[in-house]
Amino acid sequence: MKLGAFSVSLSVKDLTKSKEFYEKLGFSSMGGSLENNYLIMKNGSTLIGLFQAMFDGNMLTFNPGWDENAQNLDAFDDVREIQKKLKESGVELDKSADETTEGPEHIFLKDPDGNMILIDQHR
């Protein structure tokens, strides 16, 4: 199963303060904006998403169809195919993708310890 680019999505209280903190750790902005209440930051091949007032808690995020530079991959597993494999394996989803559609879609699931996982396909 190809899940795509991996990042940790952090729910932050103050996006500007968080941006400044992660810049001190060597991260730089590669997507999003302060005006839209989220930033995607990168340090080497490491990605983090900073999200203010968009969701509760932190989560692991995978983006099928993208590499760590948010560049489109030629070959990737569609989120609906990933969903099908997960369901066949007995994994329970908190939010399923609409299997009648194509293109952007997402699913949510939790690991055994309750950690949220987002599989978010943008294309």
Side-chain angles (χ1 to χ4, degrees), residues 53 59-60 62 81 85 87 90 109 111-112 118:
M59 68 182 98
L60 305 178
F62 298 93
E81 183 62 30
K85 290 177 184 175
K87 286 182 175 181
L109 57 142
D111 74 7
L118 168 64

Side-chain angles (χ1 to χ4, degrees), residues 44-113:
S45 61
T46 303
L47 296 170
I48 56 172
L50 305 176
F51 297 87
Q52 182 176 316
M54 294 181 94
F55 55 83
D56 293 326
N58 302 323
M59 68 182 98
L60 305 178
T61 302
F62 298 93
N63 300 112
W66 277 3
D67 67 12
E68 69 274 3
N69 295 308
Q71 298 300 308
N72 290 341
L73 297 171
D74 292 332
F76 67 96
D77 292 349
D78 187 89
V79 69
R80 294 154 197 85
E81 183 62 30
I82 293 168
Q83 173 176 282
K84 181 180 175 187
K85 290 177 184 175
L86 291 172
K87 286 182 175 181
E88 288 171 355
S89 296
V91 175
E92 193 173 313
L93 302 179
D94 289 67
K95 190 265 180 203
S96 297
D98 181 348
E99 295 178 5
T100 66
T101 63
E102 294 181 1
E105 181 59 281
H106 65 279
I107 61 176
F108 280 108
L109 57 142
K110 291 180 186 149
D111 74 7
D113 294 301

Side-chain angles (χ1 to χ4, degrees), residues 15 20-23 25 29 34-35 53 56 65-66 68-71 77 88 90 93 112 116-117:
L15 186 56
E20 291 169 358
F21 174 82
Y22 283 100
E23 286 174 339
L25 293 178
S29 296
L34 293 172
E35 296 77 27
D56 293 326
W66 277 3
E68 69 274 3
N69 295 308
Q71 298 300 308
D77 292 349
E88 288 171 355
L93 302 179
M116 287 298 298
I117 300 171

